């Protein structure tokens, strides 16, 4: 018999309310972005070690009962997980969940956007680091920009809210910032830039490529000949800070883990494809929820493990501009 009080809102030791769960549905990816995958590759696990839909839904339902309202599906590449729409429909049916988003490279989205939207997906962030076909193919290793653009257009046509995400790298895509914005603005969608973080023990990170949020804003302001006005975060929807261009309707988002920290407003936890709960992207601590489930643990045991992990959620990350201070884990294993 459980004696602990019933938790209706997950709160961490810093009194941050947790309302957002990011779920990696696979550790596989059809792209191999050079800034994401470490040089010696990322080890894929046996399929039996990945959470089943039933296990994912069980954890999401439990978290919804403890105040989680928003889910994001990520990977690896979430669209390579078989029957993803079925999972989306099951997650959308959970009481308390009012938004399901996805992060994707959009390579397979052309044929999937409609069924995903019909199943209950409401938005997608598409990774798009450059519009130049040659550099795009190089950066992603197996990427096809034409397919990605068709995927984006299909997502817009399906009624999904779409943003683009570019990891901004000096000497790689820093001359494409405005072109990426204009690509998005022409479609009525939101462009965003991400500062590169030293994941994988700093393996794929080069400090000379660091492009700060301030440098991104300055470059856009100079090229546009307009000022950027801060409009803050989109409440509860992730770490991006949004900026308005002059007096226009155009917006740009910047995720600045390296130069302008946002840990104080963190409302997120992450579930890996193998059922590890990560309370911070930037640290390696995890709680093994798969082990609890596969050893027959009940929902009380699972919620106790989730609460215990949150009680020691770190107050912030230790990323350093020289590439030190990050976790050993790979971005491809935990998702964005
Ligand atoms: N495959 C999906 C995709 O491409 O969007 C989801 C997984 S991917 C790991 C999620 C996001 O993380 C992408 O937008 C990618 O550009 C970003 N990313 C990967 N490595 C990163 C790093 N070291 N620092 C910052 N962002 C990174």
């Amino acid at each position: 018999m459980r004696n602990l009080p019933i938790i209706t809102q997950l709160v961490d030791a810093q009194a941050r309310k947790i309302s957002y769960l990011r779920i990696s549905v696979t550790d596989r990816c059809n792209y191999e972005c050079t800034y994401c995958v470490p040089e010696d590759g990322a080890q894929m696990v046996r399929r039996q070690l990945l959470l089943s839909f039933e296990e994912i839904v069980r954890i999401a339902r439990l978290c919804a009962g403890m105040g989680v309202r928003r889910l994001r599906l990520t990977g690896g590449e979430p669209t390579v997980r078989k029957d993803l729409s079925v999972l989306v429909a099951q997650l959308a049916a959970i009481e308390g969940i009012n938004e399901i988003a996805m992060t994707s490279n959009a390579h397979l989205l052309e044929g999937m956007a409609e069924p995903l939207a019909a199943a209950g997906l409401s938005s997608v962030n598409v990774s798009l680091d450059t519009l130049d076909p040659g550099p795009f193919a190089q950066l992603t290793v197996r990427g096809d920009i034409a397919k990605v653009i068709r995927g984006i257009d299909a997502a817009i046509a399906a009624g999904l809210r779409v943003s683009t995400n570019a990891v901004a790298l000096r000497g790689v895509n820093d001359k494409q910032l405005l072109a990426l914005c204009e690509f998005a603005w022409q479609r009525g969608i939101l462009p965003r830039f991400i500062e590169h973080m030293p994941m994988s023990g700093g393996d794929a990170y080069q400090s000379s490529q660091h492009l700060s949020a301030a440098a991104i804003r300055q470059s856009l302001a100079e090229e546009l000949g307009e000022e950027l006005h801060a409009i803050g975060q989109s409440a509860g929807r992730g770490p991006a800070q949004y900026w308005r261009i002059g007096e226009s309707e155009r917006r740009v988002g910047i995720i600045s883990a390296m130069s302008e920290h946002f840990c104080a407003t963190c409302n997120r936890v992450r579930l890996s494809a193998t059922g590890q709960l990560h309370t911070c992207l930037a640290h390696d601590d995890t709680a093994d929820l798969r082990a609890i489930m596969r050893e027959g643990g009940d929902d009380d045991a699972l919620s106790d493990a989730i609460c215990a992990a949150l009680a020691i959620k770190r107050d912030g990350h230790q990323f350093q501009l020289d590439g030190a201070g990050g976790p050993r884990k790979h971005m491809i294993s935990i998702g964005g």
Side-chain angles (χ1 to χ4, degrees):
M1 194 56 175
R2 182 188 175 86
N3 295 317
L4 296 169
I6 292 171
I7 308 291
T8 54
Q9 176 61 65
L10 289 168
V11 178
D12 73 5
Q14 277 67 241
R16 293 172 295 194
K17 288 184 182 164
I18 305 301
S19 56
Y20 189 176
L21 173 65
R22 297 190 176 198
I23 303 172
S24 173
V25 296
T26 177
D27 60 349
R28 274 91 173 147
C29 190
N30 44 3
Y31 284 8
E32 210 178 304
C33 300
T34 49
Y35 59 79
C36 178
V37 179
E39 218 154 276
D40 58 351
Q43 215 62 45
M44 304 293 121
V45 301
R46 284 185 294 121
R47 280 181 203 280
Q48 299 92 307
L49 298 179
L50 300 181
L51 293 189
S52 64
F53 284 1
E54 196 184 357
E55 290 168 324
I56 292 172
V57 170
R58 181 174 170 197
I59 293 173
R61 181 173 293 118
L62 209 57
C63 289
M66 297 190 287
V68 164
R69 295 288 167 261
R70 186 160 201 266
L71 303 176
R72 172 171 299 280
L73 306 183
T74 178
E77 169 51 40
T79 57
V80 305
R81 177 89 189 229
K82 197 163 168 277
D83 297 328
L84 185 67
S85 310
V86 173
L87 175 65
V88 170
Q90 291 175 4
L91 294 170
I94 295 175
E95 200 185 321
I97 294 300
N98 47 32
E99 193 171 350
I100 303 179
M102 178 172 78
T103 303
S104 169
N105 60 31
H107 186 86
L108 297 172
L109 206 52
E110 189 180 10
M112 292 178 74
E114 236 176 71
L116 285 169
L121 190 76
S122 47
S123 66
V124 60
N125 290 348
V126 175
S127 299
L128 182 64
D129 298 310
T130 172
L131 293 163
D132 251 333
F136 184 86
Q138 252 177 2
L139 200 70
T140 56
V141 180
R142 287 185 286 277
D144 176 346
I145 184 77
K147 264 186 96 130
V148 169
I149 293 175
R150 290 202 302 274
I152 291 173
D153 289 336
I156 297 169
L160 295 172
R161 200 174 54 249
V162 182
S163 307
T164 56
N165 275 343
V167 174
L169 296 167
R170 197 177 288 285
V172 176
N173 61 358
D174 54 338
K175 303 284 181 276
Q176 285 263 310
L177 304 183
L178 184 57
L180 286 163
C181 286
E182 280 174 343
F183 170 89
W185 292 332
Q186 279 158 12
R187 287 168 166 75
I189 64 177
L190 185 65
R192 310 193 320 167
F193 296 100
I194 307 175
E195 289 182 346
H196 194 209
M197 297 175 284
M199 305 295 288
S200 312
D203 197 56
Y205 178 89
Q206 290 176 41
S207 55
S208 58
Q209 292 183 333
H210 172 69
L211 194 60
S212 69
I216 294 169
R217 293 195 294 270
Q218 190 186 348
S219 163
L220 288 176
E222 279 171 12
E223 285 201 67
L224 286 159
E226 292 186 83
E227 272 181 44
L228 270 60
H229 305 285
I231 47 179
Q233 284 182 320
S234 176
R237 284 231 173 98
Q241 290 285 345
Y242 291 95
W243 300 79
R244 183 165 50 83
I245 312 299
E247 299 310 314
S248 76
E249 289 297 306
R250 290 163 297 165
R251 306 266 190 278
V252 62
I254 306 180
I255 300 170
S256 56
M258 303 297 288
S259 65
E260 294 165 8
H261 300 178
F262 41 71
C263 300
T265 59
C266 185
N267 66 340
R268 298 171 287 288
V269 291
R270 292 173 161 82
L271 181 67
S272 78
T274 57
Q276 310 301 310
L277 186 75
H278 296 245
T279 55
C280 177
L281 177 67
H283 289 281
D284 285 312
D285 326 326
T286 61
D288 189 352
L289 303 186
R290 184 190 63 196
I292 297 173
M293 291 189 286
R294 295 198 181 172
E295 283 158 16
D298 64 7
D299 283 356
D300 287 349
L302 268 180
S303 40
D304 289 350
I306 295 169
C307 292
L310 271 173
I312 52 169
K313 178 173 160 74
R314 310 294 187 103
D315 55 0
H317 65 70
Q318 305 296 325
F319 289 139
Q320 306 294 323
L321 286 178
D322 66 0
R328 291 188 308 282
K329 69 189 171 205
H330 311 307
M331 199 69 170
I332 189 176
S333 317
I334 184 66

